[in-house]
């Protein structure tokens, strides 16, 4: 159940095994209602892999009851990592085994996804992990994906090996990586112990390679939520190489302790901190949910007569804005 109470949106769940659960879903009901107004359900894929008796979530493939289509295809190339962050949602040691698909398997994934995701196909891929730069054949993977007709490749990374290996950024850019999705939790060593010491070298090497990046802070209440304004200021200071900032409220899965009340922060709370810390230069009313762009996709479809990618992400999954310097 999702409902409003005292100006907030709450969620309640009941499980026969785990009992009752109740927590704040969105801290601000008015922001939730604004986002809800832009909810949009895109046409589903026309060629699902599983068409008979789909049993969600045990027969995913994708199936015939899947809503919407893929806009950014995520491929986990390894679950190995050179860090052990205490809040990581994807941790190989928890799995108890190494997952690392072969180059052949990765290409098969892309071909299957393209075949299913009709009529728009697949044009954008994110390579993720674990830490993808730990793979010795990463350059070969990028080149092979590019040959499959993928026009946009995003690399999810902590950037440490990009700092240590000055040539790696240039190799990745030449092979076909368009942008880094760079973990970046704060502007000092206390809030960003994972890669703070490496950030200057990462920026320098990526500038030389003309390889842009999106900064990706995992926001944890009481840990680094006081840094959201400073992170944006840092991004503006490095606007020649930084394309954007994608704040991600922490998920309570993987290695993250189940201290929800202590560490959890909702999307409206992050936005309000941005507003407060930047003296309302960026305001809460500037933000819109992802599917707000669906009418533009539909307009282009009408004008061109060809199917378009339509971002039909759930309205409560995130909000965004553009900021101009």
């Amino acid at each position: 159940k999702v409902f409003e109470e005292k100006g907030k949106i709450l969620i309640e769940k009941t499980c026969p095994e785990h009992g009752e659960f109740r927590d704040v879903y969105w801290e601000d009901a008015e922001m939730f209602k604004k986002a809800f107004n832009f909810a949009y359900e895109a046409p589903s894929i026309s060629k699902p892999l599983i068409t008979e008796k789909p049993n969600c979530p045990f027969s995913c493939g994708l199936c015939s009851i899947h809503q919407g289509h893929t806009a950014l295809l995520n491929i986990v190339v390894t679950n190995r990592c050179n860090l052990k962050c205490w809040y990581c949602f994807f941790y190989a040691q928890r799995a108890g085994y190494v997952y690392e698909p072969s180059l052949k398997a990765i290409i098969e994934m892309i071909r299957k996804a393209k075949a299913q995701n009709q009529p728009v196909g697949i044009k954008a891929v994110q390579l993720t992990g674990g830490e993808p730069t730990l793979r010795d054949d990463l350059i070969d993977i990028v080149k092979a994906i590019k040959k499959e007709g993928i026009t946009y490749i995003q690399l999810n990374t902590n950037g440490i090996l990009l700092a240590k290996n000055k040539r790696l950024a240039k190799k990745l850019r030449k092979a076909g990586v368009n942008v880094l999705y760079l973990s970046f939790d704060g502007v000092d060593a206390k809030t960003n112990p994972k890669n703070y010491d490496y950030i200057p070298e990462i920026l320098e090497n990526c500038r030389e390679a003309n390889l842009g990046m999106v900064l990706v802070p995992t926001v944890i209440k009481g840990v680094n939520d006081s840094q959201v304004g400073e992170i944006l200021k840092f991004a503006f200071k490095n606007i020649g190489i930084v394309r954007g900032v994608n704040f991600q409220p922490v998920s309570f899965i993987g290695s993250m302790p189940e201290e929800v009340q202590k560490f959890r922060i909702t999307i409206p709370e992050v936005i309000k901190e941005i507003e407060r810390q930047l003296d309302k230069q960026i305001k809460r009313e500037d933000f819109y949910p992802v599917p707000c762009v669906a009418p533009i996709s539909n307009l282009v479809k009408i004008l061109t007569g060809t199917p378009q990618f339509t971002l039909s992400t759930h309205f409560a999954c995130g909000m965004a804005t553009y900021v101009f310097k």
Side-chain angles (χ1 to χ4, degrees), residues 208-268:
E208 289 187 14
N210 192 29
L211 180 56
M213 64 184 67
V214 174
L215 304 182
V216 189
T218 300
V219 186
I220 307 173
K221 183 177 286 186
V223 176
N224 67 339
D225 54 325
S226 63
Q227 290 263 303
V228 295
E230 292 300 319
I231 290 171
L232 286 170
K233 290 177 183 178
F234 180 90
F236 269 107
K237 184 179 178 181
N238 294 280
I239 201 167
I241 195 71
V242 176
R243 307 286 181 250
V245 181
N246 191 350
F247 294 103
Q248 297 186 340
V250 68
S251 297
F252 289 85
I253 55 175
S255 301
M256 186 66 189
E258 295 181 6
E259 299 178 63
V260 177
Q261 299 302 324
K262 180 179 179 181
F263 294 123
R264 183 158 185 256
I265 188 166
T266 66
I267 291 166

Side-chain angles (χ1 to χ4, degrees), residues 39-71:
Y40 178 79
E41 186 175 311
S44 59
I45 55 176
S46 61
K47 296 182 179 180
L49 190 66
I50 296 171
T51 56
E52 295 183 7
K53 297 181 180 179
N55 182 23
C56 187
F58 303 105
S59 60
C60 195
L62 299 168
C63 73
S64 55
I65 61 174
H66 187 83
Q67 294 182 340
H69 55 250
T70 302

Side-chain angles (χ1 to χ4, degrees), residues 4-69:
E4 180 179 353
E5 185 177 285
K6 296 180 179 179
K8 300 180 180 181
I9 301 297
L10 275 65
I11 186 170
E12 282 185 353
K13 299 179 182 181
T14 303
C15 174
E17 183 179 350
H18 301 96
E20 302 287 333
F21 174 85
R22 176 186 172 104
D23 199 10
V24 175
Y25 185 31
W26 268 43
E27 183 268 343
D28 190 298
E30 292 307 310
M31 291 178 70
F32 181 88
K33 292 173 184 176
K34 174 185 176 178
F36 178 79
N37 287 333
F38 291 92
Y40 178 79
E41 186 175 311
S44 59
I45 55 176
S46 61
K47 296 182 179 180
L49 190 66
I50 296 171
T51 56
E52 295 183 7
K53 297 181 180 179
N55 182 23
C56 187
F58 303 105
S59 60
C60 195
L62 299 168
C63 73
S64 55
I65 61 174
H66 187 83
Q67 294 182 340
H69 55 250

Side-chain angles (χ1 to χ4, degrees), residues 20-229:
E20 302 287 333
F21 174 85
R22 176 186 172 104
D23 199 10
V24 175
Y25 185 31
W26 268 43
E27 183 268 343
D28 190 298
E30 292 307 310
M31 291 178 70
F32 181 88
K33 292 173 184 176
K34 174 185 176 178
F36 178 79
N37 287 333
F38 291 92
Y40 178 79
E41 186 175 311
S44 59
I45 55 176
S46 61
K47 296 182 179 180
L49 190 66
I50 296 171
T51 56
E52 295 183 7
K53 297 181 180 179
N55 182 23
C56 187
F58 303 105
S59 60
C60 195
L62 299 168
C63 73
S64 55
I65 61 174
H66 187 83
Q67 294 182 340
H69 55 250
T70 302
L72 177 67
L73 179 67
N74 277 250
I75 297 180
V76 175
V77 297
T78 182
N79 66 351
R80 292 186 295 133
C81 190
N82 47 2
L83 294 174
K84 294 182 180 180
C85 301
W86 62 277
Y87 51 85
C88 183
F89 72 92
F90 198 126
Y91 187 29
Q93 192 167 317
R94 286 292 184 99
Y97 58 87
V98 171
Y99 169 80
E100 209 154 273
S102 66
L103 175 57
K104 181 180 178 181
I106 291 170
I107 297 307
E108 184 180 355
M109 292 177 196
I110 289 176
R111 290 176 179 175
K112 282 191 175 183
K114 287 172 69 175
Q116 291 180 65
N117 205 48
Q118 296 301 324
V120 291
I122 298 288
K123 292 295 182 183
V125 169
Q126 182 187 94
L127 300 178
T128 187
E131 175 49 49
T133 59
L134 291 178
R135 286 199 59 151
D136 294 333
D137 60 347
L138 181 59
I139 302 299
D140 294 331
I141 292 172
V142 173
K143 289 179 178 178
I145 291 174
K146 210 71 176 178
K147 286 182 179 179
E148 292 298 312
I150 304 301
T151 57
Y152 181 87
I153 299 178
Q154 186 179 78
L155 179 64
N156 191 352
T157 178
N158 58 38
I160 292 175
L161 293 183
L162 284 156
K164 291 182 176 181
N165 183 347
K166 191 173 181 66
R167 295 177 296 173
L168 182 55
K170 289 183 179 180
K171 288 181 178 179
L172 288 168
R173 185 71 186 97
K174 186 177 180 181
V177 172
N178 297 86
V179 69
L180 298 183
Y181 205 59
L182 181 69
S183 180
F184 185 89
D185 292 339
V187 298
D188 56 41
K190 182 179 179 181
T191 55
N192 187 19
K194 68 165 70 169
N195 63 0
Y196 172 77
D197 292 336
Y198 298 98
I199 292 299
E201 288 80 12
I202 295 170
L203 289 172
E204 180 183 350
N205 293 344
C206 287
R207 279 194 185 96
E208 289 187 14
N210 192 29
L211 180 56
M213 64 184 67
V214 174
L215 304 182
V216 189
T218 300
V219 186
I220 307 173
K221 183 177 286 186
V223 176
N224 67 339
D225 54 325
S226 63
Q227 290 263 303
V228 295

